[in-house]
């Protein structure tokens, strides 16, 4: 595939701020949060997709989507560890690396598709979704940043990499800011549920 993309779906968070069971397993309009995200991924546009999970139930759900699953045995160390596990499993041979978070339940299949198509036309860019000036996920990095992604500390986010190369950053705007909202707290979850009902 021209401008091939390897994808990491990050689903190993410990949900500490959520304060209940794993937030990815919460019911959101008749699906779990992680199922909504997995259903939004345009798999035919990706050369390979890996989900990095931290719980057996998330792994069980992911197996229905016929994607590779890795276990992060120490999710408490931070998202950087999840990024590195997934990136290392993909290896350095892809033209681009896309990172999707597992707790963004209103993200649409069409939106991820637009991001991929934009990046494939601009493969030298770091491409991300945005609403106004707010940059969100997913983000696609060109292969040239592979080593920097692999060098992240366990508690660092991918934005540590793109903040060093902000002149290479290009964004694809979304019309609904709630697409970019992830779930950190129960309040976040309730806001997203209410917006989805409208």
């Amino acid at each position: 595939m021209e401008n091939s993309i390897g994808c990491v779906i990050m689903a190993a968070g410990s949900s500490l701020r959520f304060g209940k069971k794993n937030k990815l397993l919460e019911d959101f309009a008749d699906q779990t949060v992680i199922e909504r995200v997995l259903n939004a991924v345009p798999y035919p546009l990706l050369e390979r997709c890996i989900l990095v999970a931290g719980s057996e139930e998330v792994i069980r759900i992911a197996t229905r989507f016929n994607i590779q699953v890795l276990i992060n045995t120490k999710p408490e160390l931070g998202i950087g560890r999840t990024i590195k596990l997934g990136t290392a499993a993909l290896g350095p041979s892809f033209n681009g690396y896309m990172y999707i978070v597992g707790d963004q339940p209103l993200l649409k299949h069409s939106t991820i598709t637009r991001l991929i198509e934009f990046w494939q036309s601009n493969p030298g860019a770091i491409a991300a979704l945005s609403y106004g000036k707010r940059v969100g996920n997913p983000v696609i990095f060109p292969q040239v940043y592979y080593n920097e992604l692999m060098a992240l500390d366990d508690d660092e986010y991918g934005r540590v990499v793109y903040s060093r190369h902000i002149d290479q950053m290009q964004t694809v705007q979304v019309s609904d800011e709630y697409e970019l909202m992830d779930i950190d707290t129960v309040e976040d979850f309730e806001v997203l549920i209410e917006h989805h009902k409208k």
Side-chain angles (χ1 to χ4, degrees):
M1 182 185 295
E2 186 177 1
N3 294 334
S4 62
I5 297 174
C7 175
V8 178
I9 301 172
M10 299 178 287
S14 51
S15 300
L16 292 177
R17 292 171 61 189
F18 194 70
K20 295 170 69 178
K21 70 174 185 177
N22 189 331
K23 62 187 176 183
L24 302 183
L25 303 176
E26 287 291 300
D27 180 67
F28 194 107
D30 298 323
Q31 298 179 69
T32 61
V33 170
I34 189 61
E35 282 175 310
R36 288 189 64 87
V37 172
L38 291 173
N39 278 317
V41 178
Y43 299 102
L45 299 180
L46 302 169
E47 191 75 14
R48 190 172 170 203
C49 192
I50 293 175
L51 180 137
V52 183
S55 80
E56 291 296 329
E57 182 63 14
V58 170
I59 292 168
R60 187 188 65 77
I61 291 169
T63 58
R64 301 204 305 267
F65 289 82
N66 196 30
I67 58 176
Q68 183 179 349
V69 178
L70 295 179
I71 300 174
N72 181 352
T73 57
K74 297 181 179 179
E76 69 278 2
L77 294 180
I79 197 167
R81 177 178 170 83
T82 293
I83 291 171
K84 291 184 291 183
L85 284 171
T87 305
L90 288 172
S93 62
F94 294 95
N95 300 121
Y97 293 79
M98 181 166 70
Y99 299 87
I100 297 174
V101 296
D103 60 349
Q104 213 168 305
L106 295 186
L107 186 62
K108 296 175 183 174
H109 182 280
S110 60
T111 301
I112 304 176
T113 297
R114 281 198 301 123
L115 178 66
I116 291 171
E117 290 174 346
F118 173 84
W119 182 81
Q120 288 179 329
S121 297
N122 301 272
I126 300 171
L129 295 179
S130 64
Y131 180 83
K133 293 185 177 180
R134 179 192 168 197
V135 177
N137 291 301
V139 180
I140 304 175
F141 291 88
Q143 194 274 343
V144 68
Y145 302 109
Y146 179 88
N147 289 337
E148 286 188 58
L149 291 161
M150 287 300 300
L152 286 170
D153 289 339
D154 284 346
D155 60 350
E156 288 184 322
Y157 289 73
R159 62 174 168 262
V160 170
V161 175
Y162 70 65
S163 65
R164 298 188 196 118
H165 308 282
I166 205 69
D167 57 326
Q168 300 300 315
M169 191 84 177
Q170 296 190 43
T171 62
V172 173
Q173 289 283 317
V174 299
S175 58
D176 181 0
E177 63 181 313
Y178 291 91
E179 275 201 77
L180 302 187
M181 185 173 174
D182 57 10
I183 299 168
D184 288 325
T185 64
V186 173
E187 290 73 22
D188 294 337
F189 180 84
E190 291 171 349
V191 166
L192 287 171
I193 282 282
E194 285 305 310
H195 182 72
H196 180 67
K197 290 177 181 177
K198 292 180 180 177

